[in-house]
Amino acid sequence: VHIVESGGGLVQPGGSVRLSCAVSGSIFSAYTVGWFRQVPGKQREFIARISNGGPTDYADSVKGRFTISRDNAKNAVYLQMNTLKPEDTAVYYCNTAVPVWPWGQGTQVTVSS
């Protein structure tokens, strides 16, 4: 399985960014997939997940601001991030909701003015 996350960058507080994750080498549609994030010195934390049928779940810290979606035809999962805060600064990763795939390199999101 190969995972490639993209779409990160430098964003001003209050801004938006959309992350993408492309997965190859797995039966993508069979899995509930999710986004995670990690800052230096801290454990990777769960952000959001979406099942194959579409139900979603979010961490309280991002609920109402982030939206996860998926495109099974493209083996891709997305994270729309709105109303960004400096505390959202992290490296963002995608994986199965209970991580079983090898981690990708992630994509850095920096929220700063």
Side-chain angles (χ1 to χ4, degrees):
V1 177
H2 187 58
I3 297 174
V4 178
E5 300 97 344
S6 62
L10 176 63
V11 187
Q12 290 191 340
S16 299
V17 69
R18 185 181 189 235
L19 306 183
S20 299
C21 171
V23 180
S24 60
S26 181
I27 306 173
F28 179 82
S29 62
Y31 293 94
T32 294
V33 292
W35 283 94
F36 304 78
R37 67 186 181 189
Q38 188 172 26
V39 297
K42 293 189 176 181
Q43 287 191 333
R44 195 169 286 154
E45 64 171 344
F46 162 78
I47 294 300
R49 60 176 166 243
I50 182 168
S51 71
N52 187 33
T56 58
D57 186 30
Y58 298 90
D60 287 344
S61 59
V62 306
K63 199 171 294 183
R65 300 188 296 122
F66 292 8
T67 303
I68 188 172
S69 60
R70 66 189 293 166
D71 185 338
N72 288 341
K74 296 182 178 180
N75 279 15
V77 58
Y78 308 98
L79 188 68
Q80 178 66 43
M81 306 165 63
N82 298 329
T83 319
L84 283 161
K85 304 176 181 180
E87 52 263 42
D88 294 319
T89 296
V91 180
Y92 286 73
Y93 302 87
C94 70
N95 209 308
T96 49
V98 179
V100 296
W101 294 331
W103 292 98
Q105 292 190 330
T107 185
Q108 174 74 46
V109 175
T110 302
V111 185
S112 175
S113 55

